[in-house]
Amino acid sequence: MPASPPTYNIVLLTTDPSVHAQVQQIFTDSSISIFRDAAAFQSESSNHQQVDVLIEELSGTPGAVAPRPEHLDFTHTLFIQGSRAVLRQALNLIQTVLTPGGPQLSKARDGSLENYLEVKMGEFVKGMRNGSARNLHPILISAVERPLITSALQETRGNQIQAAALLGLNRNTLRKKIVNLHIPLKQTKLRANRSA
């Protein structure tokens, strides 16, 4: 079960709607206050307001750095300041870190079956462990074996001798697995004929 994102008190000092939308997408349950600039924020906010994240868009003027609001405790506030492009990049990075399996996502995207399975199996095992599951090995083997055998049967148009050779199994072993895994042979043949 995926973890819900943490909740924060967030202040946005930008008029860019795409930054607003991105922050709302990442921090779904957080309190988000939007002000047009630091001056509006200072005049409208209370001096005792705790701010966890302050995101401020800088003007297009090169070298412009706005002063930090004085009433905030920056030992407890994440302060992100930059152009719209910089803010979007920073938010993309935060979203990657907060996404379950985020840093491993690039590993799954490299195209190799082994890395993809490693990421997916890791997510599955973690979820099952959190649910106090036992005997994962036979569960995972059947979860992988069933679609593998089904795909081999589809590829060979339901020919069990050819599928057994493709899989490197004895024909009788394949037949036993088909029965034990409840693989419907008629549907396998139908799917193979449709895809041809």
Side-chain angles (χ1 to χ4, degrees):
M1 183 178 209
S4 59
T7 58
Y8 299 105
N9 187 13
I10 300 170
V11 172
L12 294 180
L13 306 178
T14 178
T15 57
D16 184 0
S18 67
V19 172
H20 299 170
Q22 196 172 6
V23 169
Q24 288 173 332
Q25 180 184 4
I26 297 168
F27 305 101
T28 52
D29 294 328
S30 295
S31 167
I32 303 171
S33 304
I34 302 170
F35 300 91
R36 70 180 176 281
D37 57 24
F41 170 57
Q42 288 226 203
S43 67
E44 294 179 32
S45 67
S46 69
N47 291 341
H48 302 292
Q49 180 183 11
Q50 170 62 39
V51 176
D52 299 306
V53 182
L54 177 64
I55 300 172
E56 182 176 18
E57 177 186 350
L58 294 178
S59 67
T61 309
V65 177
R68 292 195 255 173
E70 298 173 0
H71 70 280
L72 294 180
D73 178 8
F74 284 96
T75 59
H76 299 290
T77 301
L78 173 63
F79 185 51
I80 303 170
Q81 188 179 60
S83 66
R84 287 181 181 184
V86 169
L87 295 182
R88 287 186 201 120
Q89 288 176 339
L91 291 168
N92 285 337
L93 179 62
I94 291 170
Q95 187 168 20
T96 301
V97 170
L98 291 179
T99 302
Q104 289 194 8
L105 214 50
S106 60
K107 193 174 186 179
R109 288 185 184 144
D110 80 352
S112 79
L113 178 62
E114 184 177 351
N115 284 341
Y116 177 78
L117 287 174
E118 183 180 339
V119 170
K120 290 300 180 185
M121 292 293 180
E123 292 170 2
F124 178 79
V125 170
K126 186 175 184 176
M128 294 299 282
R129 182 172 182 227
N130 291 341
S132 301
R134 298 282 184 256
N135 299 324
L136 288 183
H137 187 265
I139 294 170
L140 285 173
I141 294 302
S142 68
V144 170
E145 202 170 32
R146 189 173 202 278
L148 176 64
I149 291 171
T150 302
S151 296
L153 286 166
Q154 287 172 354
E155 185 64 30
T156 60
R157 298 178 185 253
N159 186 315
Q160 293 180 32
I161 294 171
Q162 291 176 0
L166 181 62
L167 294 166
L169 296 174
N170 178 293
R171 186 185 72 203
N172 292 332
T173 303
L174 176 60
R175 284 186 181 171
K176 184 177 178 182
K177 288 181 179 292
I178 289 169
V179 170
N180 290 343
L181 294 169
H182 306 289
I183 298 172
L185 292 175
K186 288 181 183 176
Q187 286 183 351
T188 304
K189 288 180 186 176
L190 287 174
R191 283 190 211 138
N193 290 334
R194 283 187 212 145
S195 64

